[in-house]
């Protein structure tokens, strides 16, 4: 059908009018940009958008990355929350592997949208990123500033009538789920003292690496009853935040692991960390100079962490209280020496660190001490509130041997087990020694034969040692009696 001439003329007139209107608008915008101040233009634009929003039923919440100069934790929570609701059919996603982490992080690409549903309410998330003039914000260590040239924020849009529900319930739901995601993705860390900590910058107090120790309670060479007791105590501790607050105690727990070398003290620490998903801070007391430095280190540790002080009896002279007087006494100026450094951390300073006011700076913390000689420790350290639970790490038992055989040889029973268990009753052997023997062959029979031979040799050595000790004790007793008779004593 051929259009009529009048219809074509009307179409041309509309197009011409639209083009004229567009040209006029461009001219007006150019004039406005040239002669109207920027502040006035922004004010008019704001009023115009406000007018349009008043006719809309949609409300939008803006969650910026930074609140003025401080990091907005709700922005981080939103990132973590959105990661688990990203639809499978999403076309564009941004992925990265953060430094010192094992898990890939997935997030929205710029200007991408996600629809979420909560209690029947439809909510729309949109991620926006745009370049901005450079501004400086505090760095994580709080002692310097870092430049930021990008503004990032989330827009959360929903119907206005659901405002109260979103603010009261949905945001709390986002925060709760983000914490669960954070724990699920968390990579455990092992922190050690940083060589640059003397600069006083909190961010450089500790340096970390990933904690990849495979120890678990299933692989520990301990009696099942002991492992069950420890796990129940740990579970009770992490669930009692309100209880500790009610009774007025800091939310922390102290453990003392004592026993001969090679009995699995370090493996138990790693198993506790893996069980609770807690980071480990390894504190070497001999590297510290003053009590104030000890307090600063405690403050800089994170919550949900394990502070480890190994070989406490060797780290510092905690038994000799007179060392405190020596530390307080004025010292002649002879420069820095190792001997002067040894008396700087006093017993009272250490006790205040363990159980004083400074120990309450943080939540959900465990302090673990290890020693080979419990009898050398000052009684003030051993009392509840400082070392709440004392765990004796003994030599390898038949139950521990079966666990090690399962770990190393992947067997749970063998005809040699009976002979090995009988030999273990007559001699002492540590889990480390058993593990070393089981590692010598991948064939179970060869490895177990080697262990039997090792136990037999060790049994002979123990008998000879006991005989020597008895002979020496007898000779000493006879010499003492002879000396008394010479002195006329009865």
């Amino acid at each position: 059908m051929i259009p009529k001439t009048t219809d074509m003329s009307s179409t041309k007139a509309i197009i011409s009018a639209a083009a004229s209107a567009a040209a006029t608008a461009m001219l007006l915008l150019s004039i406005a940009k040239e002669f109207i101040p920027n502040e006035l233009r922004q004010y008019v634009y704001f009023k115009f958008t406000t007018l349009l929003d008043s006719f809309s039923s949609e409300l939008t919440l803006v969650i910026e990355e930074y609140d003025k100069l401080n990091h907005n934790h709700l922005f981080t929570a939103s990132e973590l929350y959105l990661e688990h609701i990203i639809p499978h059919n999403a076309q564009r996603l941004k992925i990265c592997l953060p430094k010192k982490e094992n898990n890939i992080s997935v997030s929205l690409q710029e200007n991408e949208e996600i629809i979420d549903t909560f209690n029947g309410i439809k909510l729309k998330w949109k991620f926006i990123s745009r370049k901005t003039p450079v501004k400086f914000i505090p760095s994580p260590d709080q002692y310097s500033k870092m430049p930021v040239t990008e503004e990032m924020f989330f827009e959360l849009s929903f119907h206005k009538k659901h405002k109260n529900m979103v603010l009261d319930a949905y945001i709390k739901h986002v925060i709760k789920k983000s914490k669960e995601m954070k724990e699920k993705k968390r990579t455990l860390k092992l922190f050690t003292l940083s060589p640059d900590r003397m600069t006083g910058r909190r961010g450089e107090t500790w340096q970390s690496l990933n904690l990849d120790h495979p120890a678990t309670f299933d692989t520990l060479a301990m009696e099942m009853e002991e492992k069950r007791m420890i796990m129940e105590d740990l579970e009770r501790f992490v669930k009692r935040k309100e209880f500790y607050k009610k009774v007025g105690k800091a939310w922390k727990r102290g453990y003392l692991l004592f026993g001969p070398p090679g009995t699995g003290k370090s493996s138990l620490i790693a198993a506790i960390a893996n069980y609770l998903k807690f980071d480990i801070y390894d504190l070497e007391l001999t590297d510290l100079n003053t009590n104030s430095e000890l307090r600063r280190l405690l403050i800089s540790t994170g919550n949900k962490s394990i502070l480890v002080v190994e070989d406490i009896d060797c780290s510092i002279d905690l038994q000799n209280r007179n060392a405190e007087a020596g530390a307080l006494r004025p010292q002649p100026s002879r420069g820095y020496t190792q001997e002067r450094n040894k008396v700087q951390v006093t017993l009272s300073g250490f006790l205040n660190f363990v159980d004083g006011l400074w120990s309450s700076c943080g939540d959900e913390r465990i302090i673990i001490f290890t020693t080979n000689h419990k009898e050398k420790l000052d009684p003030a350290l051993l009392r509840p509130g400082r070392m709440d639970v004392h765990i004796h790490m003994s030599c390898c038992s038949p139950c521990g041997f079966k666990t090690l055989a399962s770990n190393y040889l992947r067997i749970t029973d063998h005809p040699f087990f009976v002979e090995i268990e009988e030999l273990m009753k007559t001699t002492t052997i540590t889990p480390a020694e058993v593990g070393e023997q089981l590692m010598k062959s991948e064939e179970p029979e060869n490895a177990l034969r080697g262990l039997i031979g090792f136990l037999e040799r060790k049994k002979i050595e123990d008998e000879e040692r006991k005989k020597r000790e008895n002979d020496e004790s007898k000779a000493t007793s006879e010499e003492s009696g002879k000396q008394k008779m010479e002195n006329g004593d009865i």
Side-chain angles (χ1 to χ4, degrees):
M1 180 178 176
I2 301 175
K4 296 180 181 179
T5 305
T6 53
D7 293 340
M8 294 180 64
S9 300
S10 177
T11 303
K12 289 180 179 179
I14 292 173
I15 294 173
S16 177
S20 177
T24 303
M26 292 297 293
L27 178 62
L28 292 174
L29 286 173
S30 177
I31 294 173
K33 195 172 182 179
E34 182 89 20
F35 297 103
I36 300 177
N38 181 54
E39 292 79 4
L40 181 58
R41 292 202 311 272
Q42 290 184 353
Y43 176 77
V44 172
Y45 175 75
F46 172 75
K47 287 295 184 181
F48 180 70
T49 53
T50 303
L51 179 62
L52 292 179
D53 290 341
S54 65
F55 293 103
S56 173
S57 61
E58 188 176 71
L59 175 64
T60 299
L61 304 179
V62 178
I63 306 173
E64 297 180 330
E65 183 180 14
Y66 295 99
D67 178 20
K68 296 180 180 178
L69 295 180
N70 300 313
H71 194 276
N72 186 358
H73 295 291
L74 187 55
F75 179 88
T76 304
S78 300
E79 275 188 313
L80 290 168
Y81 174 76
L82 292 176
E83 185 172 339
H84 92 282
I85 66 168
I86 292 177
H88 297 291
N89 59 353
Q91 299 295 319
R92 289 175 61 84
L93 296 174
K94 184 167 61 177
I95 64 172
C96 68
L97 183 62
K99 185 179 179 181
K100 296 184 179 181
E101 297 291 338
N102 294 329
N103 299 309
I104 293 176
S105 177
V106 182
S107 57
L108 291 177
Q109 182 68 296
E110 289 82 357
N111 300 317
E112 289 291 320
E113 295 183 356
I114 283 184
I115 302 298
D116 190 21
T117 304
F118 178 76
N119 291 346
I121 302 173
K122 184 178 179 181
L123 305 105
K124 181 176 69 176
W125 287 88
K126 185 175 183 180
F127 175 61
I128 298 175
S129 175
R130 59 193 180 198
K131 297 294 182 181
T132 61
V134 63
K135 61 180 179 180
F136 293 88
I137 62 169
S139 61
D141 61 17
Q142 300 295 322
Y143 287 90
S144 59
K145 293 182 179 294
M146 60 182 186
V148 173
T149 59
E150 188 177 20
E151 183 181 32
M152 295 188 293
F153 56 92
F154 289 103
E155 287 186 349
L156 174 59
S157 303
F158 51 89
H159 198 284
K160 287 181 178 180
K161 64 182 181 181
H162 302 306
K163 176 182 176 181
N164 291 336
M165 179 177 287
V166 170
L167 292 177
D168 295 338
Y170 182 67
I171 296 299
K172 291 180 181 179
H173 167 74
V174 169
I175 294 173
K176 179 182 177 182
K177 288 295 182 182
S178 69
K179 289 180 178 179
E180 294 175 0
M181 287 289 296
K182 185 177 181 180
E183 288 299 315
K184 186 177 179 181
K185 294 177 57 178
R186 185 178 182 187
T187 301
L188 296 186
K189 304 292 184 185
L190 173 61
F191 291 87
T192 57
L193 292 178
S194 170
D196 299 328
R197 70 184 186 281
M198 298 307 294
T199 60
R201 297 174 60 174
R202 178 175 175 179
E204 297 178 353
T205 300
W206 300 92
Q207 58 186 8
S208 69
L209 64 157
N210 291 347
L211 178 63
D212 296 322
H213 201 294
T216 65
F217 279 100
D218 291 334
T219 61
L220 288 179
M222 296 177 64
E223 294 292 330
M224 293 301 299
E225 184 64 23
E226 291 180 350
K227 290 193 280 189
R228 185 189 61 79
M229 179 272 293
I230 296 171
M231 288 188 287
E232 288 180 354
D233 189 77
L234 293 171
E235 290 173 0
R236 184 165 53 249
F237 167 71
V238 298
K239 293 177 181 178
R240 304 181 85 182
K241 178 179 180 179
E242 294 303 321
F243 174 80
Y244 276 84
K245 184 178 180 181
K246 182 176 67 175
V247 300
K249 289 177 64 68
W251 193 15
K252 65 177 183 63
R253 192 91 170 135
Y255 289 82
L256 172 65
L257 312 184
F258 65 98
T263 50
K265 292 186 283 291
S266 297
S267 295
L268 176 56
I269 294 171
I272 292 174
N274 288 326
Y275 185 72
L276 295 179
K277 302 299 181 185
F278 279 17
D279 293 328
I280 294 178
Y281 288 81
D282 185 20
L283 177 60
E284 183 58 59
L285 290 177
T286 55
D287 286 346
L288 306 184
N289 296 328
T290 62
N291 290 337
S292 60
E293 184 181 4
L294 184 63
R295 291 194 295 268
R296 183 164 60 86
L297 290 173
L298 176 64
I299 294 172
S300 62
T301 59
N303 295 335
K304 290 190 175 230
S305 62
I306 301 172
L307 185 65
V308 178
V309 183
E310 293 195 273
D311 297 322
I312 182 66
D313 55 302
C314 302
S315 298
I316 194 170
D317 187 9
L318 294 175
Q319 195 176 27
N320 183 9
R321 295 172 181 264
N322 294 328
E324 297 190 23
L328 297 174
R329 214 179 290 128
Q331 300 290 333
S333 178
R334 298 178 183 174
Y336 178 83
T337 65
Q338 185 69 17
E339 290 302 317
R340 289 183 62 195
N341 179 46
K342 286 183 180 179
V343 298
Q344 294 304 303
V345 177
T346 64
L347 177 61
S348 61
F350 186 76
L351 294 179
N352 189 48
F353 155 79
V354 174
D355 192 33
L357 293 176
W358 289 99
S359 68
S360 61
C361 299
D363 284 333
E364 212 168 353
R365 284 178 174 160
I366 290 176
I367 305 178
I368 298 181
F369 306 90
T370 72
T371 180
N372 297 334
H373 305 283
K374 178 182 176 181
E375 68 280 359
K376 291 184 179 181
L377 299 182
D378 192 290
L381 265 176
L382 298 174
R383 73 164 177 80
R386 291 167 181 163
M387 296 181 180
D388 304 292
V389 182
H390 297 193
I391 302 174
H392 181 218
M393 307 297 292
S394 60
C395 293
C396 193
S397 65
C399 179
F401 159 70
K402 289 181 179 179
T403 301
L404 293 173
S406 176
N407 295 342
Y408 288 89
L409 305 177
R410 302 300 178 193
I411 60 174
T412 57
D413 194 17
H414 194 277
F416 287 163
F417 277 18
V418 175
E419 184 177 356
I420 291 173
E421 290 174 8
E422 288 298 321
L423 285 169
M424 282 186 169
K425 294 177 182 178
T426 59
T427 187
T428 56
I429 184 171
T430 65
E433 290 173 321
V434 174
E436 179 61 28
Q437 296 302 314
L438 297 181
M439 287 181 65
K440 291 185 175 181
S441 176
E442 295 181 2
E443 289 294 329
E445 186 163 334
N446 293 338
L448 294 176
R449 283 186 187 277
L451 178 59
I452 290 173
F454 179 81
L455 285 168
E456 289 174 343
R457 293 191 299 273
K458 196 169 181 62
K459 179 180 178 181
I460 295 173
E461 292 174 359
D462 288 346
E463 290 174 350
E464 292 177 349
R465 176 178 53 80
K466 289 178 181 178
K467 185 176 181 300
R468 284 196 308 270
E469 290 176 353
N470 289 336
D471 292 343
E472 291 174 359
S473 176
K474 184 177 179 181
T476 302
S477 177
E478 290 177 352
E479 182 66 27
S480 176
K482 183 179 178 181
Q483 186 68 34
K484 288 181 178 179
M485 291 182 66
E486 291 175 355
N487 294 337
D489 296 335
I490 298 177

